[in-house]
């Protein structure tokens, strides 16, 4: 069995913990029944991720199988990872969603994406990455009584992404720890209005408002201040024609959204300007987790 899960970008500026989208840049997870458990990792994380029973994918896969009443078995796991680790592109969410989806299918169940998403909350307590990893597209999510409610909208081919991936990671736990415990009424209203407006932009495809709608007062400035070169990335991306430039999740990657016709130019400009960073020209993904074959 082969499961693929896309990269994701969360927050998108003001939508802290509730807005996210999916990118055509996938991790591939292969699961084969075997006489003993083996884990083989290629690509991102091949030298730092555990290659035994304590691997995150393996652990979640087994726990999900047990919850479905399946007998214990051994498997050969082969992972081909493209999504960078600790760069704000949803590598852990891809692992979680992939493991749960693989377990459902290995147990002979249909791929119930709603069930996958809600089980993923056990391992990821906010839905901004796991929702688009599951469904693809642009997803607005909220939690109520430990259940995810969501609205998904396919993303038009009129826009594309240019993602700048710095050589320095940003730990999500640390990135949360530097945020204040309290916010002013002004800051909260600012983000509520901008997150609402940003959702409307994606639903109406009024892309000319992306830059205005993606402004934030809750987290971006404080996180980017720990890695000031990201301010330069944003400034140049907007100067070169990006519609918006936001911290991807908690960072350190920067998501730049542009018109499809401008992608090549912006990709080249940012690649030339930041030669030590990895720059990707990507389409948006509207499919989410998939079983191949």
């Amino acid at each position: 069995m082969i499961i693929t899960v896309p990269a994701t970008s969360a927050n998108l500026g003001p939508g802290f913990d509730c807005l996210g989208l999916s990118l055509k840049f996938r991790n591939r997870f292969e699961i084969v029944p075997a006489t003993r458990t083996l884990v083989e990792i290629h690509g991102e994380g091949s030298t730092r991720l555990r290659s035994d029973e304590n691997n995150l994918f393996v652990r979640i896969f087994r726990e999900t199988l047990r919850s479905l009443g399946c007998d214990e078995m051994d498997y050969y796991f082969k992972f081909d990872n493209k999504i960078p680790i600790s760069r704000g592109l949803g590598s852990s969410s891809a692992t979680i969603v992939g493991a749960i989806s693989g377990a459902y299918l290995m147990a002979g169940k249909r791929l119930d994406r709603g069930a996958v998403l809600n089980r993923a909350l056990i391992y990821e307590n906010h839905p901004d990455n796991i929702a688009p990893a599951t469904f693809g597209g642009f997803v607005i999510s909220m939690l109520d009584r430990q259940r995810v409610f969501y609205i998904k909208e396919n993303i038009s081919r009129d826009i594309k992404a240019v993602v700048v991936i710095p050589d320095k990671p940003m730990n999500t736990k640390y990135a949360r720890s530097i945020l204040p415990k309290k916010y002013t009424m002004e800051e909260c209203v600012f983000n509520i209005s901008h997150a609402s407006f940003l959702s409307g932009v994606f639903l109406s495809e009024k892309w000319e408002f992306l830059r205005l709608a993606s402004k934030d007062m809750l987290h971006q400035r404080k996180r980017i201040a720990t890695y000031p070169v990201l301010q330069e990335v944003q400034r140049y991306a907007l100067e070169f024609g990006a519609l918006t430039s936001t911290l991807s999740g908690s960072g350190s990657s920067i998501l730049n959204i542009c018109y499809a016709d401008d992608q090549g130019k912006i990709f080249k400009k940012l690649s030339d300007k930041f030669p030590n960073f990895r720059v990707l020209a990507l389409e948006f993904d509207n499919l989410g987790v998939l079983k191949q074959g």
Side-chain angles (χ1 to χ4, degrees):
M1 179 184 298
I2 297 172
I3 299 288
T4 68
V5 188
T8 51
S9 183
N11 300 328
L12 310 179
F16 191 68
D17 280 1
C18 61
L19 300 183
L21 53 75
S22 176
L23 297 157
K24 275 192 180 177
F25 194 59
R26 290 177 169 265
N27 279 2
R28 180 181 185 274
F29 308 104
E30 184 174 354
I31 311 164
V32 182
T35 56
R36 64 189 181 97
T37 296
L38 293 170
V39 180
E40 185 178 337
I41 303 172
H42 299 274
E44 297 288 338
S46 59
T47 59
R48 60 181 284 194
L49 296 177
R50 298 193 67 128
S51 57
D52 57 20
E53 291 277 3
N54 291 312
N55 176 277
L56 180 63
F57 185 102
V58 175
R59 181 167 57 82
I60 294 173
F61 176 80
R62 289 199 180 283
E63 289 173 1
T64 305
L65 278 179
R66 284 196 293 270
S67 76
L68 295 170
C70 295
D71 295 333
E72 291 286 340
M73 287 181 58
D74 287 306
Y75 296 90
Y76 163 65
F77 299 92
K78 182 180 178 183
F79 305 145
D80 292 301
N81 296 334
K82 289 187 177 180
I83 305 171
I85 296 171
S86 299
R87 297 298 196 282
L89 291 171
S91 62
S92 61
S93 292
T95 297
I96 293 165
V97 170
I100 296 170
S101 300
Y104 267 80
L105 292 167
M106 192 63 76
K109 309 287 186 182
R110 69 182 180 90
L111 186 56
D112 183 338
R113 293 168 189 263
V116 169
L117 175 59
N118 280 288
R119 183 167 180 86
L121 277 178
I122 298 171
Y123 307 99
E124 182 69 65
N125 61 8
H126 41 86
D128 50 351
N129 280 112
I130 55 176
T134 304
F135 292 100
F138 167 75
V139 188
I140 308 162
S141 306
M142 73 171 190
L143 292 179
D144 186 81
R145 299 178 185 179
Q146 289 306 299
R147 181 182 170 194
V148 184
F149 292 83
Y150 64 90
I151 295 173
K152 178 228 171 155
E153 182 72 14
N154 285 346
I155 301 175
S156 165
R157 293 184 179 179
D158 292 340
I159 58 171
K160 293 188 178 181
V162 178
V163 179
V164 178
I165 306 171
D167 52 0
K168 176 182 174 182
M170 190 172 291
N171 178 273
T172 302
K173 187 175 180 180
Y174 170 73
R176 283 185 174 269
S177 73
I178 62 175
L179 300 180
K181 304 300 182 218
K182 294 182 180 180
Y183 291 93
T184 66
M185 178 72 78
E186 178 189 4
E187 290 169 327
C188 293
V189 171
F190 183 96
N191 266 61
I192 291 169
S193 63
H194 282 74
S196 301
F197 195 70
L198 181 61
S199 298
V201 168
F202 274 93
L203 297 177
S204 66
E205 299 186 2
K206 294 183 177 180
W207 309 123
E208 67 273 20
F209 293 125
L210 271 176
R211 183 171 180 176
L212 171 65
S214 61
K215 292 182 179 180
D216 158 77
M217 291 184 72
L218 296 188
H219 69 104
Q220 280 200 112
R221 282 181 295 179
K222 295 174 180 65
R223 287 169 165 173
I224 288 175
T226 67
Y227 199 5
V229 69
L230 299 183
Q231 293 177 330
E232 290 185 50
V233 174
Q234 289 185 307
R235 180 164 60 87
Y236 281 109
L238 294 170
E239 183 181 306
F240 296 148
L243 293 163
T244 184
S245 181
T246 60
L247 192 65
S248 185
S250 59
S252 57
S253 295
I254 296 289
L255 171 71
N256 306 292
I257 299 176
C258 60
Y259 286 118
D261 291 345
D262 293 333
Q263 186 188 46
K265 176 191 72 175
I266 295 171
F267 170 78
K268 186 177 187 310
K269 291 281 190 180
L270 290 174
S271 297
D272 292 344
K273 188 69 182 177
F274 302 97
N276 295 325
F277 292 171
R278 188 177 177 191
V279 182
L280 300 177
L282 300 173
E283 296 180 13
F284 294 105
D285 166 86
N286 288 316
L287 299 175
V289 60
L290 290 174
K291 175 180 181 284
Q292 291 189 347

